[in-house]
Amino acid sequence: MLPCTRKGRVLAAKVHQRCHSQSILILNCGSTSIKFKVFENHGKHLKNTFEGSVTGLSKLRDVPSHLKIKQSSDVILSENLIGINHSDALNRISDVLSSQIRGTISAIGHRIVHGGTLFRESTIINDHVLKELKAIENLAPLHNPHNIAGIVSSKEMFPTAVQVGVFDTAYHSTIPDYAYSYSLPTSLRLKYRKYGFHGTSHKYVAQKAADFLGKKKINAISFHLGGGCSVTCIKGSKSYDTSMSYTPLAGLSMGTRSGTIDPAIVLKLIRDEGYTPKEVEDLLQDKSGFRGVCGSGDGGTVEEMYKEGNVEAKLAMEMFCYRARLYLGAYTAALNNSVDCIIFTGGIGENSPLTHELICEGVYDLSHDTYDRSRDISDITRDTDAACRVLVVKTNEELAIAQECENLMIL
């Protein structure tokens, strides 16, 4: 196998020879997977040309991984790879893209989960920025180290491309201090605070909703409901408060996460039940939420169990939607009852009319007659004259990251 640096030069040489167009590669490097999309620049329009993923990545050299790449909706490659790590996977992705893309990859956008207080907006990544990212990677130890590894590898493979970091926390940098602070002694209050997550998604769907409503700025309550779930209070198109907090564990119950619980329970588990801190973390991160209550962490499966009359699934759905309703009421009050729209997005938010109904019951009258999953946005408000609209908006975090790359450079 060619060294990464040489491989990047070979790729750059190939694409510059063709130079028919310029593309943006979006990377989302997780602990066991890499997801990516390629967007080709067509003037004011970004077209998704390729996408794919490598799943099953492991430090163990005999564990199989799987690479799948699609062009439009057609699978052009599906293969098993044995004993590869993140760097190997990125090498393989670059090999395939070098033979497929029509032009040069001029920018690479990286989804980075946590930017702390240092990164309040998307940033071009140079050596100094990379050093700062490494210094704060402990803020999200399950995510940021893998995000950073993706940056390091892609800098070697695509040395001429501009590297851009887009932070899940950045959109929430406008939350006021009285909303992000904890009631702790000053030395701790200044160290620990609410950051919020899913910011790229909330920002994207808020803009889509504003365009749909014909408004420059909106007040909205955005529900990003999927494997991870969060609610954001949007005031004047900016984040004003959000349900996730110092970590993505807080707020709503989720697929496998507990959401907010009484912190004294953690102390009791350690002191009285014999749990270690790591066992408590595993319990709250991976064995709670839907999975803890009814045995499945998949929202679609839980909904089917609910419809079949499963008692525990019914409890799980009611707990989930009740907590969401509390945020709906609280954020309506935070916006002084001036709300332009309620937004549902994410895997559950975009595909579950039952969830829409349970959260909005008695507050907003819905009709799914006009609901079309193939559309980017649907208005499901029954009353055509209602001041507050309930919208289902498809999120597209990769496109949002590509747009951030465009905003930072001239393609």
Side-chain angles (χ1 to χ4, degrees), residues 184-261:
L184 296 171
T186 301
S187 61
L188 293 174
R189 177 174 55 80
L190 296 176
K191 185 176 181 180
Y192 297 99
R193 51 159 289 175
K194 173 183 288 191
Y195 289 104
F197 300 90
H198 291 147
T200 303
S201 175
H202 287 298
K203 180 181 179 180
Y204 177 82
V205 297
Q207 185 58 57
K208 295 287 285 187
D211 294 343
F212 180 80
L213 297 174
K215 296 175 177 282
K216 289 185 177 181
K217 295 181 179 181
I218 59 170
N219 290 350
I221 301 170
S222 174
F223 290 85
H224 179 108
L225 308 178
C229 302
S230 66
V231 193
T232 291
C233 178
I234 297 168
K235 187 175 185 179
S237 290
K238 296 181 179 181
S239 176
Y240 184 70
D241 201 357
T242 192
S243 58
M244 285 182 171
S245 198
Y246 179 70
T247 74
L249 184 59
L252 297 174
S253 60
M254 308 176 214
T256 64
R257 301 176 207 161
S258 65
T260 298
I261 64 170

Side-chain angles (χ1 to χ4, degrees), residues 1-12 87-88 90-92 94-95 152-159:
M1 180 177 288
L2 293 172
C4 290
T5 302
R6 183 179 173 190
K7 182 174 293 185
R9 289 172 182 160
V10 170
L11 174 60
S87 181
D88 297 330
L90 286 169
N91 280 333
R92 182 62 182 133
S94 73
D95 280 343
V152 172
S153 293
S154 61
K155 281 170 67 71
E156 294 175 343
M157 284 181 284
F158 304 95

Side-chain angles (χ1 to χ4, degrees), residues 27-36 52-59 65-67 84-87 89-90 93 111 142-143 145-147 149-150:
L27 287 177
N28 183 357
C29 295
S31 58
T32 61
S33 67
I34 296 174
K35 298 177 182 177
F36 68 91
S53 64
V54 182
T55 56
L57 292 172
S58 173
K59 294 180 181 179
S65 303
H66 185 74
L67 169 64
I84 67 167
N85 57 26
H86 284 70
S87 181
L90 286 169
I93 291 169
R111 182 197 178 200
L142 300 179
H143 301 91
H146 302 290
N147 303 155

